[in-house]
Amino acid sequence: WYQRRVHGDYQQVYKVDFTQMPRGPRKHLKRIYAPSHWMLDKLSGIWAPKPSSGPHKLRECLPLMILVRNRLKYALNYREVMLIVKDKAGNIKIDNKVRRDPHYPVGFNDVVTIEKTGDFFRLLYDMKGRFVLHKIVANEAKYKLCKVVRRGTGANSIPYILTHDGRTIRFPHPDIKANDTIKFNLEENKIDECLKFETGNMVMATGGNNIGRYGAVLKTEHHPASFDIVHVKEANGNTFATRSQNLFVIGQGHQPSITLPKGKPYKLSILEEKAERLHKKSQKVVKQKKQEVYNLSLIHI
């Protein structure tokens, strides 16, 4: 700062040096601003791992470091994660490619392969919209489902499609349109099958308030100059409506092309969840009482 004289008085004037301001995107992320579905505790530090630029958005992915440390429990801290991920052996593969960036963004339907342990996982959503690592077998880890975001024509009139995980696939089948899902072979890098976005097929919500819910498409309402609304029916008969861009086709008819996490195939209401918790609690109390009676009988014998 420097002083200047105004009407006989000296005033302090601060000069901003714009050459000292940061350049480019922010490289840090505070823990309280991290997405809630990462399920990070508040008292383990100030900072959270910021995902690198990649195929998935920041708030629609899970950094590889959180996956290894918090979910799989292979590491206790950041240093151990670095030793695992940076190893020359290529311990962790995402979609059949070795990834050594601990901040690499892993997204919906990505296949995680850990060859040393022989484990294969697919990243999916649970009914509450949280990422869950669903364990799969080796045969299922050979492919993944990719949603077609856009279809276009590039240089030299070459047709192509763009998928939700950033893939550009040239010369696709003419029947593949936007919002359809392709079954992509990760070993041969080719399309095995196309799942059409149409009535009767199974879809999962990957955005909006119904994220994680899945069921069969009932009908689609077309609204010109606005969003198309799709009605979906769950296994228990409940229905919900969402935008077409929030849905991801996961199966032809009522048969999904991938295995889904264990649990009820529909979302419970708050009252149903409460009733289920009370039922489990009562069953636990009954079991404890039976065990106490059995222990007393042994003492008397």
Side-chain angles (χ1 to χ4, degrees):
W1 58 272
Y2 63 93
Q3 286 185 339
R4 71 177 181 182
R5 193 171 181 180
V6 180
H7 301 295
D9 296 329
Y10 286 97
Q11 292 182 351
Q12 289 183 355
V13 179
Y14 290 88
K15 185 179 179 181
V16 180
D17 187 3
F18 289 97
T19 61
Q20 300 300 320
M21 295 182 68
R23 292 287 183 266
R26 294 181 179 178
K27 297 185 174 74
H28 297 80
L29 177 67
K30 285 201 173 181
R31 212 172 185 86
I32 59 172
Y33 300 126
S36 59
H37 59 75
W38 290 5
M39 293 187 290
L40 297 177
D41 50 354
K42 294 184 288 186
L43 302 178
S44 294
I46 299 173
W47 306 101
K50 184 180 174 67
S52 304
S53 298
H56 301 281
K57 296 179 181 179
L58 184 147
R59 309 197 77 82
E60 297 175 4
C61 73
L62 195 69
L64 188 58
M65 192 177 80
I66 292 179
L67 189 144
V68 174
R69 183 186 64 188
N70 297 43
R71 300 302 177 87
L72 296 177
K73 309 291 186 184
Y74 285 166
L76 295 175
N77 49 43
Y78 179 77
R79 181 178 171 275
E80 292 182 4
V81 173
M82 294 290 285
L83 292 174
I84 294 171
V85 175
K86 296 282 188 179
D87 191 60
K88 288 183 179 179
N91 292 325
I92 298 178
K93 290 183 179 180
I94 309 294
D95 291 343
N96 207 29
K97 286 188 178 181
V98 176
R99 299 295 180 183
R100 292 189 172 90
D101 180 11
H103 297 272
Y104 181 82
V106 186
F108 180 72
N109 232 292
D110 284 357
V111 177
V112 182
T113 305
I114 304 170
E115 293 183 345
K116 283 191 174 180
T117 60
D119 291 333
F120 304 92
F121 301 95
R122 191 186 301 278
L123 200 64
L124 298 173
Y125 289 113
D126 65 2
M127 280 294 173
K128 293 184 179 292
R130 301 169 299 199
F131 276 124
V132 58
L133 275 172
H134 175 57
K135 196 166 186 178
I136 56 177
V137 295
N139 289 334
E140 193 181 344
K142 295 178 181 179
Y143 65 88
K144 70 175 292 189
L145 301 183
C146 300
K147 180 181 177 180
V148 179
V149 178
R150 186 174 75 244
R151 184 186 177 96
T153 304
N156 299 323
S157 300
I158 295 177
Y160 70 91
I161 56 173
L162 184 67
T163 62
H164 81 287
D165 59 347
R167 297 175 190 269
T168 301
I169 303 172
R170 306 198 315 161
F171 300 107
H173 194 279
D175 291 342
I176 300 176
K177 306 293 182 185
N179 290 335
D180 292 346
T181 296
I182 58 171
K183 189 176 178 181
F184 190 75
N185 193 318
L186 297 172
E187 293 183 342
E188 301 178 5
N189 286 329
K190 68 176 186 179
I191 300 173
D192 286 344
E193 186 184 355
C194 175
L195 307 175
K196 300 294 291 181
F197 185 80
E198 56 189 19
T199 304
N201 285 350
M202 183 172 283
V203 295
M204 176 180 280
T206 57
N209 290 332
N210 297 296
I211 187 168
R213 300 175 72 176
Y214 58 88
V217 177
L218 280 180
K219 61 178 181 177
T220 304
E221 299 175 359
H222 297 284
H223 300 281
S226 186
F227 299 100
D228 292 345
I229 304 298
V230 181
H231 295 262
V232 182
K233 185 177 182 181
E234 292 182 307
N236 63 345
N238 292 342
T239 60
F240 66 93
T242 186
R243 296 177 183 178
S244 59
Q245 65 196 34
N246 292 336
L247 295 177
F248 191 111
V249 184
I250 59 172
Q252 199 81 26
H254 293 279
Q255 187 65 29
S257 297
I258 55 175
T259 57
L260 297 172
K262 290 183 179 180
K264 295 184 178 179
Y266 51 86
K267 188 174 183 179
L268 298 175
S269 65
I270 297 173
L271 294 175
E272 289 172 337
E273 285 183 358
K274 182 181 178 182
E276 190 172 354
R277 283 197 305 270
L278 292 174
H279 178 69
K280 286 183 180 179
K281 190 175 180 180
S282 62
Q283 291 291 326
K284 189 176 181 180
V285 171
V286 170
K287 190 175 180 180
Q288 287 177 350
K289 288 184 177 179
K290 286 183 178 179
Q291 188 66 35
E292 289 175 1
V293 172
Y294 177 73
N295 293 340
L296 288 173
S297 63
L298 290 178
I299 291 171
H300 291 301
I301 292 173

